[in-house]
Amino acid sequence: MATLSGPTFGGLLVGTVGWRWVFFVNVPVGLLVLALAFLIVPDLRTGRAHRLDLPGALLSTASLTCVTFALIEGDRYSWNAGILALGVVGLAFATLIPCRQTQRQQAEPLVPFGLFADRGFTLMTGLVGAIGAALVAAVLPFGLYFQQQLGFSAVHAGLALAPSPLVSLLVSPLAGRLSDLGGGRRVLLAGLVSFCAGLLAVILLALAGTALFATRAGNPAAVPA
């Protein structure tokens, strides 16, 4: 539901009250979630004291912040020495995270390595990470493509991205039932193949559309309206 409503509602905010409200809207939503958590989530305390892996959390945050800022703003700053240095620092922080987690395995680490002893958990974690990265990598450039190349408004660009999460929302319960019947591996492979084929089709259509626009811009009479 979040993937379905996010681009559309975000486009509506951008097209009406301005892009800054994309960030402001998280404040009331966050307060509502906190209130519902206190009201609904059961208080299951084990009596055991827990300690946050604060250095691990700070390393992860610093690494993601540096690398993300460098990638997003690199073109704006012409990939100068400062941006490149920021990216290198972020990658250096990333290399320190496994070292820190290795030292924390006997306490309460941010990432317990024992989880990865389960082959199924390791495989599914990698697949979920790859699919999530592919989704994020597709939504941002295609949102820009719809607006900058096709001339869509922010709301229309969000609506153009809506079919993918809508299909996922409708198919997921069916896929779960099929997996419960013993077809988990086949369902997973079919979903991955369909997902890759869909992304490939969209990329090919986008490339064809870009070529068409370039041809029309160079010689409008050669391309029918």
Side-chain angles (χ1 to χ4, degrees):
M1 289 299 294
T3 309
L4 175 63
S5 61
T8 306
F9 184 59
L12 181 63
L13 289 176
V14 170
T16 53
V17 294
W19 63 268
R20 291 172 179 81
W21 280 91
V22 173
F23 301 96
F24 291 148
V25 74
N26 291 306
V27 177
V29 173
L31 293 176
L32 176 62
V33 169
L34 285 175
L36 291 176
F38 280 105
L39 292 173
I40 298 175
V41 177
D43 187 5
L44 301 176
R45 302 187 186 185
T46 62
R48 175 187 172 190
H50 294 278
R51 295 186 64 182
L52 174 66
D53 183 11
L54 187 59
L58 291 176
L59 274 176
S60 302
T61 303
S63 174
L64 288 173
T65 300
C66 292
V67 173
T68 303
F69 184 88
L71 290 175
I72 292 178
E73 299 293 336
D75 192 58
R76 176 183 175 186
Y77 292 100
S78 301
W79 297 99
N80 58 26
I83 286 292
L84 294 177
L86 193 64
V88 171
V89 169
L91 293 176
F93 283 150
T95 60
L96 294 176
I97 295 174
C99 300
R100 170 64 188 177
Q101 293 308 299
T102 301
Q103 298 172 356
R104 288 278 300 183
Q105 290 304 301
Q106 301 304 319
E108 287 193 272
L110 197 64
V111 181
F113 290 163
L115 293 174
F116 297 96
D118 187 325
R119 181 181 176 184
F121 176 85
T122 304
L123 176 63
M124 292 309 300
T125 299
L127 286 176
V128 170
I131 292 172
L135 283 173
V136 173
V139 169
L140 178 60
F142 280 120
L144 295 175
Y145 171 78
F146 290 142
Q147 295 176 72
Q148 296 177 1
Q149 295 291 331
L150 303 185
F152 286 12
S153 67
V155 177
H156 289 160
L159 291 173
L161 293 169
S164 175
L166 181 60
V167 170
S168 179
L169 180 67
L170 297 175
V171 172
S172 292
L174 176 61
R177 292 191 182 96
L178 291 175
S179 296
D180 291 338
L181 295 175
R185 184 172 298 178
R186 290 188 292 271
V187 171
L188 177 62
L189 290 175
L192 288 174
V193 171
S194 301
F195 179 73
C196 293
L199 278 182
L200 179 61
V202 172
I203 291 171
L204 294 176
L205 287 172
L207 290 174
T210 302
L212 179 63
F213 277 105
T215 304
R216 183 178 296 176
N219 186 10
V223 181

PDB file of all heavy atoms in Angstrom, residues 55-56 58-67 86-100:
ATOM      1  N   PRO A  55      27.510   2.431  18.279  1.00  0.00           N
ATOM      2  CA  PRO A  55      28.562   2.628  17.260  1.00  0.00           C
ATOM      3  C   PRO A  55      28.213   1.993  15.925  1.00  0.00           C
ATOM      4  O   PRO A  55      28.454   2.572  14.863  1.00  0.00           O
ATOM      5  CB  PRO A  55      29.792   1.975  17.895  1.00  0.00           C
ATOM      6  CG  PRO A  55      29.541   2.037  19.362  1.00  0.00           C
ATOM      7  CD  PRO A  55      28.068   1.847  19.517  1.00  0.00           C
ATOM      8  N   GLY A  56      27.624   0.791  15.952  1.00  0.00           N
ATOM      9  CA  GLY A  56      27.236   0.141  14.699  1.00  0.00           C
ATOM     10  C   GLY A  56      26.167   0.929  13.968  1.00  0.00           C
ATOM     11  O   GLY A  56      26.216   1.078  12.741  1.00  0.00           O
ATOM     12  N   LEU A  58      25.599   4.168  14.237  1.00  0.00           N
ATOM     13  CA  LEU A  58      26.189   5.417  13.738  1.00  0.00           C
ATOM     14  C   LEU A  58      27.042   5.164  12.494  1.00  0.00           C
ATOM     15  O   LEU A  58      27.025   5.968  11.552  1.00  0.00           O
ATOM     16  CB  LEU A  58      27.026   6.070  14.839  1.00  0.00           C
ATOM     17  CG  LEU A  58      26.251   6.634  16.024  1.00  0.00           C
ATOM     18  CD1 LEU A  58      27.211   7.176  17.089  1.00  0.00           C
ATOM     19  CD2 LEU A  58      25.300   7.748  15.574  1.00  0.00           C
ATOM     20  N   LEU A  59      27.799   4.066  12.486  1.00  0.00           N
ATOM     21  CA  LEU A  59      28.600   3.732  11.307  1.00  0.00           C
ATOM     22  C   LEU A  59      27.712   3.499  10.086  1.00  0.00           C
ATOM     23  O   LEU A  59      27.999   3.995   8.988  1.00  0.00           O
ATOM     24  CB  LEU A  59      29.441   2.487  11.581  1.00  0.00           C
ATOM     25  CG  LEU A  59      30.807   2.679  12.253  1.00  0.00           C
ATOM     26  CD1 LEU A  59      31.444   1.333  12.542  1.00  0.00           C
ATOM     27  CD2 LEU A  59      31.726   3.526  11.383  1.00  0.00           C
ATOM     28  N   SER A  60      26.628   2.756  10.280  1.00  0.00           N
ATOM     29  CA  SER A  60      25.715   2.484   9.169  1.00  0.00           C
ATOM     30  C   SER A  60      25.092   3.768   8.649  1.00  0.00           C
ATOM     31  O   SER A  60      25.018   3.998   7.437  1.00  0.00           O
ATOM     32  CB  SER A  60      24.618   1.514   9.621  1.00  0.00           C
ATOM     33  OG  SER A  60      25.169   0.311  10.085  1.00  0.00           O
ATOM     34  N   THR A  61      24.646   4.620   9.582  1.00  0.00           N
ATOM     35  CA  THR A  61      24.020   5.878   9.182  1.00  0.00           C
ATOM     36  C   THR A  61      25.000   6.783   8.449  1.00  0.00           C
ATOM     37  O   THR A  61      24.669   7.375   7.416  1.00  0.00           O
ATOM     38  CB  THR A  61      23.463   6.602  10.424  1.00  0.00           C
ATOM     39  OG1 THR A  61      22.548   5.738  11.101  1.00  0.00           O
ATOM     40  CG2 THR A  61      22.746   7.887  10.025  1.00  0.00           C
ATOM     41  N   ALA A  62      26.220   6.899   8.978  1.00  0.00           N
ATOM     42  CA  ALA A  62      27.222   7.754   8.347  1.00  0.00           C
ATOM     43  C   ALA A  62      27.586   7.243   6.957  1.00  0.00           C
ATOM     44  O   ALA A  62      27.719   8.023   6.006  1.00  0.00           O
ATOM     45  CB  ALA A  62      28.471   7.828   9.222  1.00  0.00           C
ATOM     46  N   SER A  63      27.721   5.924   6.822  1.00  0.00           N
ATOM     47  CA  SER A  63      28.064   5.347   5.521  1.00  0.00           C
ATOM     48  C   SER A  63      26.979   5.614   4.498  1.00  0.00           C
ATOM     49  O   SER A  63      27.252   6.083   3.380  1.00  0.00           O
ATOM     50  CB  SER A  63      28.289   3.838   5.674  1.00  0.00           C
ATOM     51  OG  SER A  63      28.497   3.235   4.422  1.00  0.00           O
ATOM     52  N   LEU A  64      25.724   5.338   4.853  1.00  0.00           N
ATOM     53  CA  LEU A  64      24.615   5.563   3.925  1.00  0.00           C
ATOM     54  C   LEU A  64      24.469   7.037   3.574  1.00  0.00           C
ATOM     55  O   LEU A  64      24.210   7.395   2.422  1.00  0.00           O
ATOM     56  CB  LEU A  64      23.316   5.032   4.540  1.00  0.00           C
ATOM     57  CG  LEU A  64      23.179   3.512   4.600  1.00  0.00           C
ATOM     58  CD1 LEU A  64      21.931   3.121   5.387  1.00  0.00           C
ATOM     59  CD2 LEU A  64      23.112   2.927   3.201  1.00  0.00           C
ATOM     60  N   THR A  65      24.627   7.908   4.559  1.00  0.00           N
ATOM     61  CA  THR A  65      24.481   9.346   4.312  1.00  0.00           C
ATOM     62  C   THR A  65      25.537   9.847   3.329  1.00  0.00           C
ATOM     63  O   THR A  65      25.223  10.554   2.367  1.00  0.00           O
ATOM     64  CB  THR A  65      24.585  10.128   5.636  1.00  0.00           C
ATOM     65  OG1 THR A  65      23.551   9.682   6.525  1.00  0.00           O
ATOM     66  CG2 THR A  65      24.419  11.629   5.401  1.00  0.00           C
ATOM     67  N   CYS A  66      26.785   9.481   3.566  1.00  0.00           N
ATOM     68  CA  CYS A  66      27.872   9.957   2.700  1.00  0.00           C
ATOM     69  C   CYS A  66      27.728   9.433   1.275  1.00  0.00           C
ATOM     70  O   CYS A  66      27.826  10.202   0.306  1.00  0.00           O
ATOM     71  CB  CYS A  66      29.215   9.522   3.285  1.00  0.00           C
ATOM     72  SG  CYS A  66      29.655  10.321   4.839  1.00  0.00           S
ATOM     73  N   VAL A  67      27.490   8.133   1.129  1.00  0.00           N
ATOM     74  CA  VAL A  67      27.397   7.544  -0.207  1.00  0.00           C
ATOM     75  C   VAL A  67      26.175   8.061  -0.945  1.00  0.00           C
ATOM     76  O   VAL A  67      26.242   8.405  -2.139  1.00  0.00           O
ATOM     77  CB  VAL A  67      27.369   6.008  -0.114  1.00  0.00           C
ATOM     78  CG1 VAL A  67      27.102   5.392  -1.475  1.00  0.00           C
ATOM     79  CG2 VAL A  67      28.693   5.489   0.434  1.00  0.00           C
ATOM     80  N   LEU A  86      33.831  12.436  -0.176  1.00  0.00           N
ATOM     81  CA  LEU A  86      32.682  12.026   0.630  1.00  0.00           C
ATOM     82  C   LEU A  86      32.275  10.590   0.314  1.00  0.00           C
ATOM     83  O   LEU A  86      31.973   9.795   1.217  1.00  0.00           O
ATOM     84  CB  LEU A  86      31.514  12.975   0.374  1.00  0.00           C
ATOM     85  CG  LEU A  86      30.326  12.894   1.338  1.00  0.00           C
ATOM     86  CD1 LEU A  86      30.755  13.301   2.734  1.00  0.00           C
ATOM     87  CD2 LEU A  86      29.189  13.788   0.859  1.00  0.00           C
ATOM     88  N   GLY A  87      32.282  10.240  -0.969  1.00  0.00           N
ATOM     89  CA  GLY A  87      31.966   8.870  -1.348  1.00  0.00           C
ATOM     90  C   GLY A  87      32.975   7.873  -0.811  1.00  0.00           C
ATOM     91  O   GLY A  87      32.611   6.788  -0.336  1.00  0.00           O
ATOM     92  N   VAL A  88      34.258   8.227  -0.862  1.00  0.00           N
ATOM     93  CA  VAL A  88      35.303   7.347  -0.349  1.00  0.00           C
ATOM     94  C   VAL A  88      35.156   7.159   1.162  1.00  0.00           C
ATOM     95  O   VAL A  88      35.302   6.047   1.689  1.00  0.00           O
ATOM     96  CB  VAL A  88      36.692   7.909  -0.697  1.00  0.00           C
ATOM     97  CG1 VAL A  88      37.795   7.122   0.021  1.00  0.00           C
ATOM     98  CG2 VAL A  88      36.921   7.870  -2.206  1.00  0.00           C
ATOM     99  N   VAL A  89      34.843   8.246   1.865  1.00  0.00           N
ATOM    100  CA  VAL A  89      34.640   8.155   3.319  1.00  0.00           C
ATOM    101  C   VAL A  89      33.462   7.236   3.636  1.00  0.00           C
ATOM    102  O   VAL A  89      33.520   6.408   4.554  1.00  0.00           O
ATOM    103  CB  VAL A  89      34.413   9.555   3.909  1.00  0.00           C
ATOM    104  CG1 VAL A  89      33.945   9.468   5.362  1.00  0.00           C
ATOM    105  CG2 VAL A  89      35.697  10.375   3.841  1.00  0.00           C
ATOM    106  N   GLY A  90      32.380   7.369   2.858  1.00  0.00           N
ATOM    107  CA  GLY A  90      31.226   6.505   3.070  1.00  0.00           C
ATOM    108  C   GLY A  90      31.557   5.042   2.863  1.00  0.00           C
ATOM    109  O   GLY A  90      31.139   4.176   3.641  1.00  0.00           O
ATOM    110  N   LEU A  91      32.338   4.742   1.820  1.00  0.00           N
ATOM    111  CA  LEU A  91      32.742   3.359   1.568  1.00  0.00           C
ATOM    112  C   LEU A  91      33.683   2.857   2.665  1.00  0.00           C
ATOM    113  O   LEU A  91      33.640   1.678   3.046  1.00  0.00           O
ATOM    114  CB  LEU A  91      33.421   3.252   0.206  1.00  0.00           C
ATOM    115  CG  LEU A  91      32.517   3.516  -1.005  1.00  0.00           C
ATOM    116  CD1 LEU A  91      33.333   3.477  -2.290  1.00  0.00           C
ATOM    117  CD2 LEU A  91      31.382   2.496  -1.068  1.00  0.00           C
ATOM    118  N   ALA A  92      34.537   3.754   3.177  1.00  0.00           N
ATOM    119  CA  ALA A  92      35.437   3.365   4.267  1.00  0.00           C
ATOM    120  C   ALA A  92      34.637   3.007   5.519  1.00  0.00           C
ATOM    121  O   ALA A  92      34.938   2.020   6.209  1.00  0.00           O
ATOM    122  CB  ALA A  92      36.418   4.499   4.566  1.00  0.00           C
ATOM    123  N   PHE A  93      33.613   3.822   5.826  1.00  0.00           N
ATOM    124  CA  PHE A  93      32.729   3.502   6.956  1.00  0.00           C
ATOM    125  C   PHE A  93      32.054   2.143   6.745  1.00  0.00           C
ATOM    126  O   PHE A  93      31.882   1.368   7.686  1.00  0.00           O
ATOM    127  CB  PHE A  93      31.671   4.584   7.133  1.00  0.00           C
ATOM    128  CG  PHE A  93      32.179   5.836   7.778  1.00  0.00           C
ATOM    129  CD1 PHE A  93      31.618   7.073   7.475  1.00  0.00           C
ATOM    130  CD2 PHE A  93      33.213   5.803   8.702  1.00  0.00           C
ATOM    131  CE1 PHE A  93      32.072   8.229   8.063  1.00  0.00           C
ATOM    132  CE2 PHE A  93      33.683   6.959   9.308  1.00  0.00           C
ATOM    133  CZ  PHE A  93      33.116   8.180   8.986  1.00  0.00           C
ATOM    134  N   ALA A  94      31.659   1.862   5.492  1.00  0.00           N
ATOM    135  CA  ALA A  94      30.983   0.598   5.196  1.00  0.00           C
ATOM    136  C   ALA A  94      31.896  -0.594   5.475  1.00  0.00           C
ATOM    137  O   ALA A  94      31.431  -1.648   5.922  1.00  0.00           O
ATOM    138  CB  ALA A  94      30.521   0.579   3.742  1.00  0.00           C
ATOM    139  N   THR A  95      33.207  -0.454   5.203  1.00  0.00           N
ATOM    140  CA  THR A  95      34.134  -1.558   5.462  1.00  0.00           C
ATOM    141  C   THR A  95      34.343  -1.792   6.964  1.00  0.00           C
ATOM    142  O   THR A  95      34.719  -2.891   7.371  1.00  0.00           O
ATOM    143  CB  THR A  95      35.498  -1.285   4.804  1.00  0.00           C
ATOM    144  OG1 THR A  95      36.064  -0.078   5.342  1.00  0.00           O
ATOM    145  CG2 THR A  95      35.341  -1.137   3.298  1.00  0.00           C
ATOM    146  N   LEU A  96      34.089  -0.757   7.772  1.00  0.00           N
ATOM    147  CA  LEU A  96      34.257  -0.898   9.218  1.00  0.00           C
ATOM    148  C   LEU A  96      33.066  -1.587   9.878  1.00  0.00           C
ATOM    149  O   LEU A  96      33.185  -2.097  10.994  1.00  0.00           O
ATOM    150  CB  LEU A  96      34.461   0.485   9.860  1.00  0.00           C
ATOM    151  CG  LEU A  96      35.747   1.225   9.498  1.00  0.00           C
ATOM    152  CD1 LEU A  96      35.750   2.604  10.143  1.00  0.00           C
ATOM    153  CD2 LEU A  96      36.971   0.436   9.942  1.00  0.00           C
ATOM    154  N   ILE A  97      31.912  -1.593   9.188  1.00  0.00           N
ATOM    155  CA  ILE A  97      30.718  -2.174   9.791  1.00  0.00           C
ATOM    156  C   ILE A  97      30.891  -3.656  10.086  1.00  0.00           C
ATOM    157  O   ILE A  97      30.591  -4.109  11.208  1.00  0.00           O
ATOM    158  CB  ILE A  97      29.491  -1.917   8.888  1.00  0.00           C
ATOM    159  CG1 ILE A  97      29.211  -0.410   8.817  1.00  0.00           C
ATOM    160  CG2 ILE A  97      28.272  -2.669   9.408  1.00  0.00           C
ATOM    161  CD1 ILE A  97      28.113  -0.046   7.827  1.00  0.00           C
ATOM    162  N   PRO A  98      31.368  -4.498   9.134  1.00  0.00           N
ATOM    163  CA  PRO A  98      31.558  -5.920   9.472  1.00  0.00           C
ATOM    164  C   PRO A  98      32.546  -6.133  10.622  1.00  0.00           C
ATOM    165  O   PRO A  98      32.355  -7.043  11.446  1.00  0.00           O
ATOM    166  CB  PRO A  98      32.088  -6.526   8.163  1.00  0.00           C
ATOM    167  CG  PRO A  98      31.651  -5.588   7.095  1.00  0.00           C
ATOM    168  CD  PRO A  98      31.678  -4.236   7.714  1.00  0.00           C
ATOM    169  N   CYS A  99      33.598  -5.311  10.670  1.00  0.00           N
ATOM    170  CA  CYS A  99      34.567  -5.434  11.769  1.00  0.00           C
ATOM    171  C   CYS A  99      33.905  -5.173  13.109  1.00  0.00           C
ATOM    172  O   CYS A  99      34.107  -5.910  14.083  1.00  0.00           O
ATOM    173  CB  CYS A  99      35.732  -4.468  11.549  1.00  0.00           C
ATOM    174  SG  CYS A  99      36.650  -4.735  10.023  1.00  0.00           S
ATOM    175  N   ARG A 100      33.097  -4.116  13.142  1.00  0.00           N
ATOM    176  CA  ARG A 100      32.387  -3.780  14.378  1.00  0.00           C
ATOM    177  C   ARG A 100      31.407  -4.884  14.768  1.00  0.00           C
ATOM    178  O   ARG A 100      31.320  -5.270  15.932  1.00  0.00           O
ATOM    179  CB  ARG A 100      31.644  -2.447  14.192  1.00  0.00           C
ATOM    180  CG  ARG A 100      30.669  -2.094  15.301  1.00  0.00           C
ATOM    181  CD  ARG A 100      31.365  -1.876  16.623  1.00  0.00           C
ATOM    182  NE  ARG A 100      30.408  -1.718  17.698  1.00  0.00           N
ATOM    183  CZ  ARG A 100      30.733  -1.568  18.973  1.00  0.00           C
ATOM    184  NH1 ARG A 100      32.004  -1.569  19.322  1.00  0.00           N
ATOM    185  NH2 ARG A 100      29.800  -1.440  19.891  1.00  0.00           N
TER     186      ARG A 100
END
